[in-house]
Amino acid sequence: MSEEKRLKIAIQKSGRLADMSLQLLEKCGIFLTKSRDQLLCRAQNFPLDILLVRDDDIPAFLATDVCQLGILGQNVLLEKQAISNGIFSSLEQLLPIGQGKCRLSIAVPHDFIYESIASLNGKVIATSYKGLLGQYLATHKIKADIVTMEGAVEVAPRTHLADVICDLVSTGSTLISNGLVEKDVILESQAVLVMNQISDPEIAAIADKITSRIKAVLRAENSRYIMLNSPTKSLEAIKAVLPGSKSPTVMPLQGCDDMVAVHAVCEEGVFWDTMEDLKDCGANSILVVPIEKMLD
Ligand code: PRT
Ligand code: ZN
């Protein structure tokens, strides 16, 4: 009997994307058997193995077909593509996950006079992203020296290792506590699902299935189900206010000839402002509920 074919997906073992990646797979109905301390977890109910590794290693695992899918920051993927001569070019970003958002930015000390990117000419820039930074400087025709650091990039100006830095920023508090000011954003990044070309049709079918489950989970997470009662005459105004909803269901309300019930899936955020706008249009009994699963 031939062995069942299984797809391998690599996710970060520990760090900012680790819990999110595992939870995403669990929300796709995938349950793991082995403990997270191991390198490889096996899904019980899906032909999927999960490799728990450092995020920086995921592009190489993909490129060498050790795994076929991976979840990692765009910043890591694009940097690997920038510094290598084509070995990562077949890796494709399938979808943004909407988590791990950050930006790769140039930041300078308070007393550094930064008028434009040209102020970097002749300066020393510390970074862990020499590929992306190098491309950015070349595009803007800036000649600067790049000092590569693996971590603690933010201390480089204070220790006179560099004049300015290029590093990931999310809240900005690391920059502030190191007396640095963000000036230029080189890249807006977030976690992405990445795939390498798959030649085996059975593995490709598993990849399609997991990808469409991830898409469905992300779509459901970003969507809300709205229920409200509307005066019949206000229906068009109310439909115009419903965010990201294509064709709401409209039903009669028993005993109220001039009112209807409206149910809609809204694929955009439903904020208090939206609810207040709906109320101003004449809606009442407005209910907004989360959606657990969604498949077209
Ligand atoms: O061990 P392993 O190599 O797997 O992990 P790692 O230490 O390389 O990565 P990790 O877990 O720190 O980050 C994983 C991914 O999270 C990154 O590749 C980014 O895609 C994303 N991400 C999102 C961030 C940040 N936000 C972030 N703020 N990665 C790093 N930072 C660092 C940044 O380098 C700086 O030191 O946080 C500091 C700045 O944060 P703020 O909030 O003070 O601005
Ligand atoms: Zn890393």
Side-chain angles (χ1 to χ4, degrees):
M1 204 174 87
S2 70
E3 221 181 286
E4 168 199 52
K5 293 214 172 138
R6 298 177 70 84
L7 175 105
K8 286 196 181 64
I9 182 168
I11 63 173
Q12 196 188 25
K13 183 180 170 80
S14 64
R16 287 166 204 263
L17 307 180
D19 289 345
M20 173 285 283
S21 305
L22 213 52
Q23 281 159 14
L24 185 58
L25 295 175
E26 282 168 2
K27 284 178 199 157
C28 292
I30 290 161
F31 298 104
L32 311 174
T33 44
K34 287 181 182 162
S35 102
R36 286 191 58 193
D37 294 335
Q38 306 206 2
L39 174 70
L40 194 71
C41 289
R42 201 177 157 87
Q44 292 169 17
N45 55 345
F46 201 84
L48 183 79
D49 293 327
I50 297 135
L51 273 177
L52 301 166
V53 292
R54 288 198 61 190
D55 60 351
D56 317 73
D57 294 332
I58 296 177
F61 285 140
L62 283 163
T64 51
D65 203 32
V66 171
C67 61
Q68 296 78 39
L69 288 178
I71 297 177
L72 69 157
Q74 269 174 321
N75 49 298
V76 172
L77 175 67
L78 296 176
E79 174 63 16
K80 295 283 180 195
Q81 290 178 327
I83 56 175
S84 72
N85 42 6
I87 33 173
F88 300 115
S89 57
S90 60
L91 305 192
E92 186 194 345
Q93 295 185 37
L94 288 184
L95 39 115
I97 307 282
Q99 306 241 17
K101 288 191 177 169
C102 56
R103 49 202 187 271
L104 182 63
S105 294
I106 304 276
V108 308
H110 281 289
D111 56 0
F112 185 99
I113 299 164
Y114 186 96
E115 278 154 358
S116 71
I117 178 85
S119 307
L120 298 181
N121 261 319
K123 302 296 181 201
V124 180
I125 311 174
T127 190
S128 312
Y129 290 86
K130 71 169 183 197
L132 291 172
L133 175 61
Q135 285 178 344
Y136 187 76
L137 295 175
T139 306
H140 291 87
K141 301 192 168 41
I142 305 295
K143 292 230 174 309
D145 285 326
I146 298 177
V147 172
T148 307
M149 293 175 72
E150 288 303 324
V153 175
E154 63 279 357
V155 302
R158 245 189 306 142
T159 54
H160 306 292
L161 256 172
D163 299 301
V164 305
I165 69 162
C166 168
D167 198 12
L168 295 179
V169 182
S170 50
T171 61
S173 60
T174 303
L175 293 185
I176 292 170
S177 56
N178 285 282
L180 299 167
V181 188
E182 189 176 358
K183 288 294 180 188
D184 246 327
V185 176
I186 290 187
L187 172 78
E188 296 275 1
S189 178
Q190 61 174 294
V192 280
L193 178 69
V194 178
M195 190 178 85
N196 198 5
Q197 283 155 4
I198 302 174
S199 51
D200 184 317
E202 282 177 61
I203 303 279
I206 303 169
D208 277 352
K209 196 163 180 182
I210 183 90
T211 305
S212 75
R213 283 199 193 181
I214 292 177
K215 262 188 207 155
V217 166
L218 297 176
R219 223 176 120 204
E221 275 182 356
N222 294 328
S223 301
R224 294 291 178 269
Y225 195 73
I226 295 196
M227 293 170 270
L228 56 84
N229 295 341
S230 156
T232 314
K233 63 177 169 30
S234 313
L235 196 54
E236 287 312 310
I238 281 176
K239 278 196 211 162
V241 173
L242 286 172
S245 153
K246 282 168 220 127
S247 41
T249 308
V250 179
M251 292 161 286
L253 272 175
Q254 210 173 25
C256 300
D257 289 345
D258 54 350
M259 294 286 287
V260 285
V262 179
H263 289 196
V265 172
C266 292
E267 295 200 28
E268 288 170 24
V270 180
F271 303 104
W272 282 106
D273 287 350
T274 317
M275 293 177 68
E276 284 152 7
D277 290 347
L278 289 166
K279 206 162 164 24
D280 290 345
C281 292
N284 62 46
S285 305
I286 307 170
L287 280 182
V288 179
V289 292
I291 295 172
E292 197 187 293
K293 290 191 180 69
M294 208 167 151
L295 201 63
D296 281 337

